[in-house]
């Protein structure tokens, strides 16, 4: 089963809404374009799942970017998602720290880090930005912290990424307590129901197993039904995601055109300048004579 999408859902008998993200061929395509060590692949997979989840919660026309930066061995993780669902990701890291698959990603690997969310809707519109400190527990804990601290929304989040039969798969399930409109004027009766609903949803969410989340034999709706069938889970239309990079010959040329003659000369190898896209590893080859300085 090849599922690449986000599905919003709601638990009809409780004040809880949620989302499930599933990535398979899109995630495998993104990671196979790189040649990262296994531990870095896992982090990039997590960032892809989280950017898919977070972008699906916003209404925007343009590009959503999730970027994690740190002073540790993992310097940067980036994943962006367009409003059309085009997804890509890359990592910058200290390669020496991750030689060999046995090298662990330690809390110090993302030390003194932060995570930023940005929406770029073009030149004339505002960029929304949320920033949160990277928790030593990892990316998922940092996102959860963002919702509870910055947004003041009670949030449960489980994320799982891994290889099944040699192919990468990723899944995230999030539940959030919906704002309770009745609470303001009916303080005595309603809140306990809301709290009970919420506790039950969190218990059900925590019962999900990694093998279910990553299983190629269970579809997203099967997983939601298994977890929440007693709550009356209502599933909305999927928002598709696909691996697609936005790089192009023109964009790379525009970058090169902004560089000085001396810098360009330093980049020439065998008479050509080769630029490799950091997101999809595609090579762009230019004859330096065809790059005009200042021609944007
Ligand atoms: Zn690219």
């Amino acid at each position: 089963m090849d599922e690449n999408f986000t599905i919003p859902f709601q638990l009809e008998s409780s004040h809880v809404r949620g989302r499930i993200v599933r990535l398979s061929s899109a995630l495998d395509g993104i990671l196979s374009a790189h040649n990262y060590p296994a531990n870095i692949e896992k982090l990039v997979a997590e960032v892809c799942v989280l950017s898919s989840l977070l972008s699906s919660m916003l209404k925007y026309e343009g590009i959503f970017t999730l970027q994690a930066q740190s002073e540790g061995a993992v310097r940067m993780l980036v994943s962006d998602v367009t409003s059309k669902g085009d997804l890509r990701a890359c990592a910058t890291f200290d390669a020496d720290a991750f030689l060999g698959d046995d090298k662990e990603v330690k809390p110090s690997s993302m030390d003194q880090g932060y995570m930023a969310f940005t929406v770029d809707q073009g030149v004339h519109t505002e960029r929304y930005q949320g920033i949160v400190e990277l928790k030593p527990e990892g990316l998922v804990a940092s996102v959860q912290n963002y919702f509870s601290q910055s947004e003041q929304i009670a949030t449960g989040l489980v994320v799982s990424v891994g290889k099944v039969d040699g192919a990468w798969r990723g899944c995230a399930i999030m539940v959030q307590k919906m704002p309770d409109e009745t609470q303001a004027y009916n303080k005595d009766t309603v809140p306990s129901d809301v709290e009970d609903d919420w506790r039950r949803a969190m218990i059900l969410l925590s019962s999900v197993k990694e093998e279910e989340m990553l299983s190629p034999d269970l579809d997203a709706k099967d997983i939601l039904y298994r977890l929440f069938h007693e709550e009356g889970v209502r599933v909305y239309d999927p928002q598709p995601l696909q691996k697609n990079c936005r790089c192009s010959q023109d964009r790379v040329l525009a970058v090169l055109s902004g560089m000085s003659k001396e810098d360009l000369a330093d980049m020439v190898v065998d008479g050509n300048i080769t630029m490799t896209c950091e997101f999809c590893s595609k090579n762009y080859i230019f004859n330096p004579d065809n790059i005009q300085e200042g021609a944007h």
Side-chain angles (χ1 to χ4, degrees):
M1 199 172 304
D2 183 20
E3 292 185 321
N4 301 278
F5 54 54
T6 303
I7 295 183
F9 64 88
Q10 194 168 333
L11 306 185
E12 296 215 296
S13 63
S14 56
H15 297 77
V16 175
R17 67 185 168 198
R19 258 147 223 280
I20 182 166
V21 177
R22 273 202 134 192
L23 291 173
S24 46
S25 63
L27 191 54
D28 213 44
I30 289 166
L31 290 168
S32 64
H34 300 289
N35 192 19
Y36 295 147
N39 286 323
I40 298 293
E41 282 190 318
K42 200 168 179 199
L43 287 177
V44 173
E46 263 184 18
V47 165
C48 286
V49 171
L50 291 172
S51 67
S52 301
L53 175 78
L54 294 167
S55 65
S56 78
M57 301 173 70
L58 299 167
K59 289 218 186 316
Y60 69 102
E61 280 295 324
I63 303 152
F64 171 89
T65 305
L66 170 58
Q67 183 169 322
Q69 271 191 297
S70 90
E71 302 288 320
V74 181
R75 306 237 169 77
M76 193 160 75
L77 297 163
V78 188
S79 173
D80 62 32
V81 192
T82 70
S83 35
K84 294 191 180 78
D86 290 342
L87 177 66
R88 61 180 196 172
C90 66
T92 313
F93 55 94
D94 175 3
D96 292 340
F98 293 98
L99 286 176
D101 282 354
D102 54 330
K103 286 282 176 358
E104 282 177 40
V105 173
K106 302 185 188 79
S108 63
S109 305
M110 301 205 73
D111 209 18
Q112 294 181 52
Y114 67 88
M115 200 183 239
F117 320 120
T118 320
V119 172
D120 187 348
Q121 303 205 83
V123 189
H124 301 294
T125 44
E126 238 171 272
R127 289 160 73 100
Y128 162 86
Q129 199 163 28
I131 289 192
V132 65
E133 190 190 341
L134 273 179
K135 308 281 282 180
E137 296 85 0
L139 301 170
V140 177
S142 306
V143 168
Q144 204 153 10
N145 183 51
Y146 167 75
F147 281 111
S148 53
Q149 300 295 312
S150 310
E151 304 274 292
Q152 311 258 311
I153 303 170
T155 300
L157 175 62
V158 287
V159 174
S160 201
V161 295
K163 271 187 169 175
V164 179
D165 301 331
W168 278 96
R169 301 185 69 87
C171 180
I173 309 172
M174 184 182 76
V175 291
Q176 289 192 315
K177 190 156 90 173
M178 280 160 71
D180 178 26
E181 290 85 11
T182 54
Q183 199 169 348
Y185 53 87
N186 198 358
K187 260 192 160 68
D188 299 331
T189 54
V190 179
S192 65
D193 287 352
V194 174
E195 287 308 316
D196 285 351
D197 286 352
W198 176 242
R199 265 197 293 276
R200 212 167 50 245
M202 287 295 280
I203 289 166
L204 293 170
L205 178 68
S206 65
S207 74
V208 71
K209 296 185 183 71
E210 184 169 82
E211 58 258 38
E212 291 174 307
M213 293 177 78
L214 301 184
S215 169
D217 304 320
L218 283 176
D219 68 26
K221 288 177 189 171
D222 291 336
I223 297 171
L224 292 179
Y225 187 74
R226 275 190 181 199
L227 287 176
F228 300 119
H229 61 99
E230 283 178 359
E231 312 293 302
V233 57
R234 177 205 281 246
V235 174
Y236 296 94
D237 288 340
Q239 302 163 9
L241 295 156
Q242 57 281 330
K243 177 216 168 191
N244 206 358
C245 190
R246 303 192 309 279
C247 65
S248 70
Q249 181 97 2
D250 286 351
R251 278 170 207 248
V252 178
L253 191 57
V255 172
L256 291 173
S257 301
M259 298 171 78
S260 70
K261 273 205 158 56
E262 293 73 27
D263 285 345
L264 288 172
D266 286 344
M267 295 167 71
V268 175
V269 178
D270 297 333
N272 289 316
I273 291 176
T274 303
M275 294 281 279
T276 305
C277 175
E278 59 186 340
F279 283 98
C280 70
S281 303
K282 188 172 176 180
N283 283 327
Y284 292 92
I285 300 166
F286 299 91
N287 180 333
D289 298 338
N290 297 338
I291 301 167
Q292 288 180 322
E293 216 175 323
H296 286 270

